[in-house]
């Protein structure tokens, strides 16, 4: 039931710092005053975000752009000056102190940049802290905390103090403390930026591993573009309190909304964002094989390389490597069908499979869980995606690429 | 110009005022006296009832348990020196006065410091009062104490409380204000109430600062209790004043040394104990 509704919805959110924030907000909303003339610091300026359940939404921006403020508005550690926030459809912007405490312990948990562990409590007690506040019995909270510590790979450290742990381990405790609450929403404020680069990557992978089974709605703040690309299903880019772009990583990388975003995503390693569904080759539509007929033959038979073959309902039957010699006979196609291909899901990253593609020429076929085909990834479709990212395009390439990238996107939209 | 008349007028106005206050609020002063004597008298009696050797043994064992050999040695030798100087019972009187004054100072000071840290308004009210209290020279505090309580143990302890209280208030408030905002946010984010955050997060994390306040409070109490001998509080200060007035330099130095030793012992023991029970260690 809840799957159809948004996990978090933020509407027209403002946060102003200064002597009379409400009055100033009135002027800004009625457009009788520009934010910069209001005499107030506008930390959040008309933020709108819709976050789907089970997705990781990354909030990225320079230091001081309002990322932490936005995140803290979601659990109302900071009270917004105006606007609304809905968690699973329930408005929390006007919740009373008491309601708020209940919402915080049942719906939203949080991981902090500097871990924010309590140094006078053991690791286990730290993890159980939220449960203790929620009034869970001692036995149950200790069991659940121990389980959460196991989940993050820290069993055996229960009775140590946080000061005995390394930075990475401390943040695992921070993560366990949030996970143990079993909340649908997880807020993370630059949780890995205080860690060494190697540990940081390890933690990112750990988070993705956990997310695979936990399926939480995660709002993740970072200033590191590569971290954003690695983790985010969606990225919101914040500039001076405004969301200047909100979209999938690849869209942001390929078509940045302005120079600020362009500068930001320049550092993103494109292989971190290229998922299979996003780069299927539009020049390689599938062949449909139904009983005795063959339709949608490849437009140009001279195109060397494999095509995917589906049945009438779009389900994958196999691939055919050498199409040039085949006629329109269904039997010929049937006998040429091969199962020697790499099957990947639309949202899987292609990077790990590229070597196989280039060395052995095994086709990369993008197929959804229900066997329906999305398309085929080819060398040329990968190259096109890379070229689009490099930003160096000739005029004629640009002209040619426009419709193609659109159709690639359309293909992906069907995939996503 | 001669201001003698004017000065006398001011003095008599103050006299009238204090007389009025002590008559009007006599019950309050009686109450304060009762509390102070209620703590100090049994404590003095107990400390003088317990034989000196037993106190020394307890100090040695306690020193060993709380810390290590040096602390045990310090405790044993220090107390033995006091006994050898034949100043044991005077020292116990002083010690009892110090404990009484410090106990009351802390019982008021730590909660007040907490209140100041938690409330901006309380902070605004008490900040100037604390400034004023801290700029008062120790000596001057004796005057109002004598006005309201006469001479003896009670005014001595009252003056000492006024002298020793500002620092633990300040250090408690400081410790609470210095707690990392992120840790407090963590408490809030997991649904903790303000009281939960205060008792389970802020106070434990402010422990070091609060204990520094406790230590300072006791040390300042000791120095003030010695001065308060001038208004009849008794104890080691009496010995010093007596030897000064009789020009007995040797005896004065002995009593002075005992005060120093008592100060060192109290300081080292409270530090060590607070390290030992520090929850954040
Ligand atoms: N209490 C406050 N009063 C005034 N300005 C504030 C306050 N809190 C935060 N700010 C300002 O709001 C801006 C956004 O802060 P923050 O959300 O922490 O940025 P980020 O997390 O992106 O680095 C900063 O420029 C900061 O100076
Ligand atoms: Mg921040």
């Amino acid at each position: 039931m809840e799957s159809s509704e948004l996990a978090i919805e933020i509407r027209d959110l403002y946060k102003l710092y200064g002597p009379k924030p409400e009055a100033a907000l009135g002027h800004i909303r009625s457009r009788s005053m520009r934010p910069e003339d209001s005499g107030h610091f506008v930390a959040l300026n008309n933020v709108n975000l819709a976050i789907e359940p089970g997705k990781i939404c990354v909030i990225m921006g320079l230091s001081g752009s309002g990322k932490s403020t936005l995140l803290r508005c979601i659990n109302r550690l900071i009270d917004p000056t105006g606007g609304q926030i809905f968690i699973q459809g329930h408005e929390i912007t006007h919740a009373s102190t008491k309601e708020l405490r209940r919402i915080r312990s049942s719906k939203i948990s949080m991981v902090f940049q500097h871990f924010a562990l309590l140094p006078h409590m053991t690791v286990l007690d730290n993890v159980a802290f939220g449960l203790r506040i929620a009034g869970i019995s001692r036995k149950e909270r200790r069991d659940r905390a121990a389980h959460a510590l196991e989940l993050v790979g820290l069993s055996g450290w229960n009775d140590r103090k946080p000061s005995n742990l390394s930075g990475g381990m401390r943040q695992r405790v921070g993560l366990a403390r949030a996970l143990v609450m079993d909340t649908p929403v997880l807020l993370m404020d630059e949780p890995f930026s205080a860690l060494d680069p190697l540990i940081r990557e390890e933690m990112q992978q750990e988070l993705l591993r956990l997310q695979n089974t936990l399926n939480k709605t995660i709002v993740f703040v970072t200033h590191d573009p590569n971290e954003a690309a690695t983790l985010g299903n969606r990225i919101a880019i914040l500039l001076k309190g405004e969301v200047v772009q909100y979209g999938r990583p690849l869209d942001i990388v390929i078509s940045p909304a302005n120079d600020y975003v362009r500068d930001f995503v320049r550092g993103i390693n494109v292989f971190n964002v290229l998922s299979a569904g996003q780069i299927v080759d539009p020049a390689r539509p599938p062949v449909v094989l139904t009983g005795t007929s063959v339709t949608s033959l490849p437009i140009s038979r001279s195109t060397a390389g494999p095509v995917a073959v589906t049945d009438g309902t779009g389900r994958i039957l196999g691939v055919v490597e050498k199409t040039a010699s085949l006629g329109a006979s269904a039997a010929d196609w049937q006998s040429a069908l091969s199962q020697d291909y790499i099957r990947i899901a639309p949202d899987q990253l292609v990077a790990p499979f590229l070597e196989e593609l280039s060395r052995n020429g095994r086709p990369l076929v993008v197929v959804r869980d229900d066997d329906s085909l999305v398309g085929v990834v080819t060398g040329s479709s990968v190259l096109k995606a890379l070229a689009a990212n490099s930003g160096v395009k000739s005029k004629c390439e640009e002209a040619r690429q426009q419709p193609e990238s659109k159709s690639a996107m359309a293909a992906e939209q069907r995939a996503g | 110009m001669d201001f003698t008349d004017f000065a006398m007028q001011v003095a008599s106005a103050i006299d009238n005022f204090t007389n009025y206050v002590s008559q009007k609020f006599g019950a309050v002063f009686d109450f304060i006296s009762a509390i102070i004597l209620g703590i100090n008298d049994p404590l003095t009696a107990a400390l003088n009832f317990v034989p000196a050797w037993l106190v020394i043994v307890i100090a040695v064992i306690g020193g060993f348990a709380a810390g290590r050999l040096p602390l045990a040695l310090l405790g044993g030798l220090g107390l033995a020196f006091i006994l050898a100087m034949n100043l044991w019972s005077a020292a116990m009187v002083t010690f009892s006065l110090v404990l009484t004054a410090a106990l009351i100072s802390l019982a008021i000071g730590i909660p007040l410091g907490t209140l100041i840290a938690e409330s901006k308004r309380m902070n605004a009210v008490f900040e100037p009062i604390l400034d004023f209290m801290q700029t008062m020279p120790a000596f001057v505090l004796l005057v109002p104490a004598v006005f309201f309580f006469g001479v003896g143990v009670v005014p001595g302890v009252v003056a000492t409380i006024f002298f020793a209280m500002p620092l633990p208030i300040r250090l408690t408030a400081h410790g609470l204000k210095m707690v990392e905002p992120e840790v407090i946010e963590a408490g809030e984010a997991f649904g903790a109430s303000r009281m939960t955050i205060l008792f389970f997060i802020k106070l434990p994390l402010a422990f070091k600062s609060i204990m520094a306040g406790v230590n300072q409070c006791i040390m300042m109490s000791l120095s003030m209790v010695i001065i308060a001998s001038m208004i009849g509080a008794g104890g080691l200060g009496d010995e010093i004043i007596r030897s000064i007035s009789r020009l007995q330099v040797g005896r004065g130095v002995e009593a002075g040394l005992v005060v120093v030793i008592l100060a060192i012992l109290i300081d080292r023991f409270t530090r060590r104990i607070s390290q030992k029970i520090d929850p954040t260690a």
Side-chain angles (χ1 to χ4, degrees), chain B residues 238-255:
Chain B
D238 269 1
E239 295 294 328
I240 295 175
I241 291 170
R242 198 176 305 137
S243 46
I244 289 173
S245 59
R246 293 178 189 166
L247 295 177
Q248 293 170 328
V249 179
R251 189 67 183 153
V253 170
E254 279 176 2

Side-chain angles (χ1 to χ4, degrees), chain A residues 339-350:
Chain A
Q339 299 301 324
D340 183 27
Y341 60 89
I342 302 167
R343 176 185 170 140
I344 44 180
D347 53 0
Q348 241 175 321
L349 293 184
V350 287

Side-chain angles (χ1 to χ4, degrees), chain A residues 110-131:
Chain A
M110 188 161 177
V111 179
F112 293 85
Q113 180 172 9
H114 303 287
F115 325 134
L117 302 177
L118 303 175
H120 56 291
M121 293 184 187
T122 63
V123 165
L124 191 77
D125 287 340
N126 263 286
V127 175
F129 184 70
L131 297 175

Side-chain angles (χ1 to χ4, degrees), chain A residues 204-233:
Chain A
Q204 289 165 4
Q205 294 310 317
E206 180 87 9
L207 181 66
L208 288 175
R209 184 182 67 78
L210 288 166
Q211 172 66 354
N212 254 337
T213 52
L214 297 174
N215 262 311
K216 296 198 178 290
T217 307
I218 300 178
V219 187
F220 189 106
V221 167
T222 182
H223 62 255
D224 173 2
N226 270 306
E227 186 166 68
T230 306
L231 297 176
N233 299 113

Side-chain angles (χ1 to χ4, degrees), chain A residues 72 75 77 101 104-105 108-110 112-116 118-121 129 132-133 161 177 181, chain B residues 180 182-194 196 199-201 204-205 278-281:
Chain A
R72 279 162 173 71
N75 64 354
L77 285 183
R101 291 223 308 272
R104 282 170 179 168
S105 72
I108 314 170
S109 48
M110 188 161 177
F112 293 85
Q113 180 172 9
H114 303 287
F115 325 134
L118 303 175
H120 56 291
M121 293 184 187
F129 184 70
R132 182 170 170 185
I133 292 166
K161 289 276 181 75
R177 175 174 69 178
M181 301 306 291
Chain B
E180 291 268 351
E182 212 188 37
V183 187
I184 297 167
E185 278 189 330
E188 289 177 29
F190 286 94
S193 67
R194 199 170 164 185
T196 311
F199 283 98
F200 287 88
I201 298 179
L205 292 187
D278 186 350
T280 60

Side-chain angles (χ1 to χ4, degrees), chain A residues 26-195:
Chain A
H27 292 305
I28 291 173
R29 272 188 169 152
S30 65
R31 303 196 183 278
S32 63
M33 200 185 262
R34 289 186 309 169
E36 50 273 33
D37 302 331
S38 65
H40 287 65
F41 184 85
V42 183
L44 292 177
N45 188 356
N46 197 13
V47 171
N48 287 279
L49 279 183
I51 303 172
E52 286 161 31
K55 292 271 161 41
I56 302 183
C57 170
V58 172
I59 298 171
M60 180 163 66
L62 295 176
S63 162
S65 56
K67 305 181 297 290
S68 299
T69 308
L70 177 55
L71 193 75
R72 279 162 173 71
C73 283
I74 297 176
N75 64 354
R76 291 217 6 227
L77 285 183
I78 293 177
D79 270 323
T81 313
Q84 291 169 298
I85 297 174
F86 299 85
I87 306 283
Q88 293 181 331
H90 299 290
E91 183 172 359
I92 62 142
T93 342
H94 298 293
S96 68
T97 316
K98 208 173 153 195
E99 270 176 281
L100 202 56
R101 291 223 308 272
R102 199 183 46 72
I103 291 169
R104 282 170 179 168
S105 72
S106 65
K107 292 230 184 296
I108 314 170
S109 48
M110 188 161 177
V111 179
F112 293 85
Q113 180 172 9
H114 303 287
F115 325 134
L117 302 177
L118 303 175
H120 56 291
M121 293 184 187
T122 63
V123 165
L124 191 77
D125 287 340
N126 263 286
V127 175
F129 184 70
L131 297 175
R132 182 170 170 185
I133 292 166
I136 308 287
S137 76
R138 185 182 152 83
K139 166 133 179 45
E140 183 186 341
R141 65 177 191 246
R142 288 181 73 86
D143 287 350
R144 281 171 65 178
H147 177 72
L149 280 166
E150 237 168 72
L151 213 58
V152 299
L154 270 189
S155 43
W157 293 83
N158 295 8
D159 299 324
R160 300 296 198 86
K161 289 276 181 75
S163 55
N164 295 323
L165 274 58
S166 69
M169 291 162 86
R170 282 183 210 187
Q171 196 55 299
R172 282 168 193 266
V173 178
L175 193 55
R177 175 174 69 178
L179 293 181
V180 79
M181 301 306 291
D182 217 5
T183 55
V185 175
L186 181 57
L187 307 179
M188 305 181 86
D189 190 4
E190 306 207 24
F192 306 146
S193 39
L195 305 175

Side-chain angles (χ1 to χ4, degrees), chain B residues 35-198:
Chain B
I35 290 177
I36 290 172
L37 293 176
I39 299 173
N40 186 61
D41 286 352
L43 201 58
T44 315
L47 284 170
N48 274 316
F49 175 76
V50 180
W53 63 265
L54 188 58
V55 176
I56 294 175
V57 168
I58 290 171
V60 170
I61 294 173
F64 207 83
R68 4 159 220 172
L69 194 61
L71 194 64
L73 282 180
L74 190 71
L77 292 178
L79 290 179
F81 177 81
I82 295 175
L83 188 62
M85 290 300 103
N86 201 23
L87 286 169
W88 185 263
S89 70
M92 287 304 118
V93 170
T94 294
F95 190 47
S96 164
L97 287 169
V98 169
L99 286 184
T100 306
L103 209 67
I104 297 173
S105 300
L106 294 173
I108 300 170
I110 293 176
L112 199 56
T114 308
L115 221 56
I116 286 174
E118 289 289 297
S119 146
K120 284 211 168 66
R121 269 172 61 190
M122 292 296 273
N123 192 27
V125 171
F126 277 96
E127 194 63 27
I129 298 177
L130 288 175
D131 278 341
F132 176 72
M133 283 168 84
Q134 283 187 304
T135 48
M136 288 275 265
F139 222 69
V140 176
L141 284 174
L142 297 178
V143 180
V146 170
F147 267 135
F148 293 115
F149 295 96
V151 292
V153 166
V154 174
V157 171
V158 168
T160 305
I161 290 170
F162 265 81
F163 185 66
M165 198 159 56
L167 214 50
I169 295 177
R170 282 246 153 96
L171 283 167
T172 301
H174 173 79
L176 290 171
K177 286 177 189 167
M178 285 296 110
V179 174
E180 291 268 351
E182 212 188 37
V183 187
I184 297 167
E185 278 189 330
E188 289 177 29
F190 286 94
S193 67
R194 199 170 164 185
M195 279 297 148
T196 311
I197 290 174
L198 178 61

